[in-house]
Amino acid sequence: MVSAQVPNYRGEVLIEPGINSGKCMTASSNSDGATVTIQSCTGATSQKWSFSGGSVTVFGDKCLDVTDGSTADGVKLQIWTCSTNNNPNQQFYYTGDYHLAWTDHGKCMDLTDGNQSDGNRIQLWSCSGGINQIWNTGYYYTDLPTTSEDGQSGTNNCGTGSSKKSQCQTAWINSAEDFCLWAPPTVDSIGNSERLEVAYCTKSGRGARTMPDGTLQGVHFVKTPDYVQVTGVGDFTKINVAAGDAGGELDPHGADGNGNPIGGLVYGNSFGTGQQYHEWTSFISSNEFCFRACVGAQAATLCQHIYDVMGCYWNMPANYDSGVFENCDGDDDLPMGVYGTSTWYQGVSPTPAAHPAASSSNCVPLATVSVTPARKRRSSNGFEKVARAAFAEPTPIMF
């Protein structure tokens, strides 16, 4: 188990099972003995949890609590008035690999039977590292904090305007017509400014900067069963990427667990209204970009961020043609770096070729992409989810 800590995100947070960011850990009431379940995320007070003094609290004075202090696998969690003497039944810590563990007991919070139905009671089980024990933290899209991580240069609660000097660090990905890119707040290379990047969007009204006309020269959006992705080309000196910059990779983790940019949050409507993407990866240079945001059990694998010098096409093989603007359905690409049951690691020679781009279909061409006002999401975004088998767990290999 990775060393103990609290989440990188500050303040009151939602706690969401790794397999479904549309569900949230929820206290059934503000009373001693109230059950702890998953429910559809609404941003309600019963879903806002804080990490303090080794405990996880809700409603201000209630703590996540192990029922009767039982050490048996399968014991259900409850809330109880927080003790003043560090009651061991109320001591938990959040790990660097996204587990919520009962301190000194080798037990982890576990999504019972992997059941994603509303009302499923959350249990403890011996820590195994399985997907049912992955829990992400984040924020409801209509209730964003001013800042989400220590050291953040911008803001997440960006308002509804648009400004050329905006320091907004909340991005959205919905379609070829509606997405944002991370880029420097002032002219700089990505390598120098990766911790400071701000959002530049194709929709006004999100509090972010908007992309000037002529920035985008080709945009290809695809929705697959497990991610959304937007790729393309353009003149990104118009959004402060230094001329000739070969670019760099951005992701929500960074070397210290904070994101690149610090506090960068990504949301979208493709898999549910306003869902936060906890796994995403993006590259941008002065003339090319790619941005993928993943959901579900394979999110970390499909949005791997360790291949940070390999660039767009190797990480996200797709359409990068100039003059093409389109929305498509698609299959998942093979995971970057994974070849059969083996994994290649950056720096090992020889470097394998990029995977071929997965097939796409139902492509709808657009004349171009330009800035328009953000609108409320309709009940359907026109992209259908197609079932596809999960990938086998890779094993390391040396090429």
Side-chain angles (χ1 to χ4, degrees), residues 25-99:
M25 187 167 87
T26 307
S28 60
S29 70
N30 184 5
S31 59
D32 286 347
T35 59
V36 177
T37 68
I38 60 164
Q39 301 284 344
S40 297
C41 297
T42 63
T45 303
S46 58
Q47 296 180 342
K48 294 180 178 179
W49 302 83
S50 299
F51 289 73
S52 178
S55 293
V56 183
T57 64
V58 67
F59 300 121
D61 67 344
K62 297 295 191 296
C63 279
L64 188 65
D65 184 280
V66 181
T67 304
D68 299 326
S70 172
T71 59
D73 283 348
V75 62
K76 300 301 189 287
L77 294 174
Q78 62 181 6
I79 62 168
W80 203 273
T81 300
C82 297
S83 73
T84 58
N85 61 350
N86 296 322
N87 181 342
N89 296 347
Q90 298 179 349
Q91 295 293 292
F92 291 85
Y93 64 95
Y94 193 70
T95 73
D97 53 358
Y98 315 112
H99 294 71

Side-chain angles (χ1 to χ4, degrees), residues 225-290:
D226 294 298
Y227 59 79
V228 289
Q229 176 178 286
V230 61
T231 58
V233 294
D235 179 4
F236 301 113
T237 64
K238 293 180 178 290
I239 56 173
N240 287 333
V241 180
D245 182 29
E249 191 265 352
L250 305 163
D251 63 72
H253 304 298
D256 60 1
N258 286 331
N260 288 329
I262 298 174
L265 303 179
V266 178
Y267 290 84
N269 297 324
S270 295
F271 298 96
T273 302
Q275 283 196 19
Q276 183 173 352
Y277 291 109
H278 299 288
E279 296 291 346
W280 53 266
T281 179
S282 174
F283 290 78
I284 188 169
S285 68
S286 62
N287 61 4
E288 184 180 72
F289 75 92
C290 53

Side-chain angles (χ1 to χ4, degrees), residues 115-392:
N115 184 344
Q116 301 174 43
S117 300
D118 284 356
N120 185 23
R121 290 191 65 182
I122 297 170
Q123 65 182 4
L124 287 182
W125 203 270
S126 297
C127 297
S128 66
I131 186 60
N132 291 346
Q133 297 182 351
I134 300 294
W135 297 87
N136 295 310
T137 59
Y139 306 96
Y140 198 61
Y141 74 106
T142 61
D143 188 24
L144 297 177
T146 301
T147 57
S148 57
E149 292 183 329
D150 290 334
Q152 185 171 349
S153 60
T155 185
N156 298 115
N157 192 350
C158 303
T160 57
S162 295
S163 166
K164 293 181 179 179
K165 295 183 178 180
S166 169
Q167 291 295 108
C168 181
Q169 291 178 314
T170 300
W172 287 75
I173 305 179
N174 287 321
S175 66
E177 310 99 305
D178 183 4
F179 70 96
C180 306
L181 296 174
W182 300 117
T186 57
V187 176
D188 207 341
S189 68
I190 299 301
N192 287 340
S193 61
E194 63 182 5
R195 312 236 74 182
L196 310 175
E197 314 298 33
V198 297
Y200 292 79
C201 303
T202 62
K203 294 291 185 184
S204 60
R206 290 202 169 112
R209 305 185 190 199
T210 54
M211 298 185 207
D213 289 343
T215 301
L216 297 169
Q217 298 167 2
V219 178
H220 174 81
F221 174 87
V222 62
K223 182 191 174 193
T224 81
D226 294 298
Y227 59 79
V228 289
Q229 176 178 286
V230 61
T231 58
V233 294
D235 179 4
F236 301 113
T237 64
K238 293 180 178 290
I239 56 173
N240 287 333
V241 180
D245 182 29
E249 191 265 352
L250 305 163
D251 63 72
H253 304 298
D256 60 1
N258 286 331
N260 288 329
I262 298 174
L265 303 179
V266 178
Y267 290 84
N269 297 324
S270 295
F271 298 96
T273 302
Q275 283 196 19
Q276 183 173 352
Y277 291 109
H278 299 288
E279 296 291 346
W280 53 266
T281 179
S282 174
F283 290 78
I284 188 169
S285 68
S286 62
N287 61 4
E288 184 180 72
F289 75 92
C290 53
F291 200 158
R292 179 186 290 180
C294 300
V295 297
Q298 294 294 320
T301 300
L302 291 169
C303 275
Q304 183 59 263
H305 55 87
I306 62 173
Y307 301 107
D308 57 350
V309 303
M310 300 303 295
C312 270
Y313 194 82
W314 193 91
N315 279 275
M316 292 174 243
N319 189 341
Y320 290 85
D321 290 347
S322 180
V324 175
F325 301 86
E326 60 184 1
N327 288 307
C328 297
D329 292 331
D331 292 332
D332 291 336
D333 280 337
L334 294 171
M336 52 277 275
V338 177
Y339 296 83
T341 58
S342 302
T343 299
W344 174 78
Y345 292 103
Q346 185 171 279
V348 175
S349 183
T351 300
H355 292 304
S359 62
S360 58
S361 61
N362 303 325
C363 293
V364 178
L366 306 167
T368 189
V369 172
S370 59
V371 172
T372 57
R375 293 182 293 179
K376 291 184 178 180
R377 179 177 182 259
R378 297 175 180 175
S379 59
S380 171
N381 64 3
F383 296 99
E384 297 297 327
K385 184 170 180 176
V386 180
R388 187 173 171 86
F391 296 108

